[in-house]
Amino acid sequence: MDRLKVLDKVSKCFSLANANGASATEIETALRQARNLMKQYNLEALDVAAHRIIETSVPTGTRRAPQDWLHLLASICGRAFDCQPLAYRSQVQGWSFKFLGMGISPELAAHAYSALHHQLVVARREHVGQQKYCQLKTKRRRGLLFAEGWLNAVGNKVVGFAEGMDDSTRQAISAYLQQRHPTMKTSSIIPLEVKGHDLGSLRAGWIEGQAVELRRGVGEARQSGLSGRESGQ
């Protein structure tokens, strides 16, 4: 039997064993079948956990590899909803981020990324438009600094409510990455150098970012909440 089909069967057995209303006999039967399949096909607990990881992708809208501020945005959204972001190039959508996690979390992280990306692009464009009597490269640098300040403010809000990814989810994602993306590379986000009047753009971004709200609901059907100048709330 195909390995993925076996993992599907094992996952269904565990879901049945944990289902509300399942009888003692049903639980015992489901667990026995799961264990037998795992033994027969030499599956580890992490293999089963990794199979539960879900991917949700969102395009970056860029032709080149995402800049640091996009990686920072993805990292903030991933932290908010217990997900691991991963940048990759799709032949159909170009550069994209995929969020890896359990249940509805990846979908919420992708939604948050799209909404925050829209708000940030609008705010940054407005800020750059206010920069007068300076070269184009200066405007671009100040736009990036504005984005950095904005994201630092939003990220600071996330720290206040994010509970942190639990060990079981972290281990499952790690196993998933080893199985599906063994050649994945990591990189560091380096803050931009601030020069003279550029500090005003960093500060302006921080102030604008403080007006944005990113909330994570609680309960089985967790919902994300976003508000700010562009959310209409």
Side-chain angles (χ1 to χ4, degrees), residues 32-110:
R32 184 172 62 252
Q33 289 177 343
R35 290 167 184 152
N36 288 340
L37 285 169
M38 290 177 67
K39 183 178 181 180
Q40 180 181 351
Y41 290 92
N42 195 30
L43 297 176
E44 300 292 338
L46 275 180
D47 293 324
V48 180
H51 189 65
R52 296 174 55 205
I53 295 298
I54 295 173
E55 294 184 357
T56 299
S57 294
V58 57
T60 65
T62 60
R63 295 182 179 179
R64 298 180 179 179
Q67 292 182 306
D68 279 358
W69 69 274
L70 286 172
H71 281 282
L72 181 56
L73 174 56
S75 177
I76 289 171
C77 295
R79 190 187 320 141
F81 299 103
D82 301 338
C83 292
Q84 170 72 46
L86 177 63
Y88 71 102
R89 183 173 178 79
S90 165
Q91 293 183 348
V92 178
Q93 295 183 315
W95 280 98
S96 304
F97 282 110
K98 63 173 64 174
F99 292 92
L100 313 178
M102 297 283 196
I104 196 175
S105 292
E107 183 179 344
L108 295 178

Side-chain angles (χ1 to χ4, degrees), residues 126-141:
E126 182 177 322
H127 176 76
V128 171
Q130 295 170 355
Q131 306 304 303
K132 306 296 183 181
Y133 312 113
C134 55
Q135 297 180 349
L136 179 59
K137 65 178 183 179
T138 301
K139 290 185 177 182
R140 288 175 175 170
R141 185 176 69 250

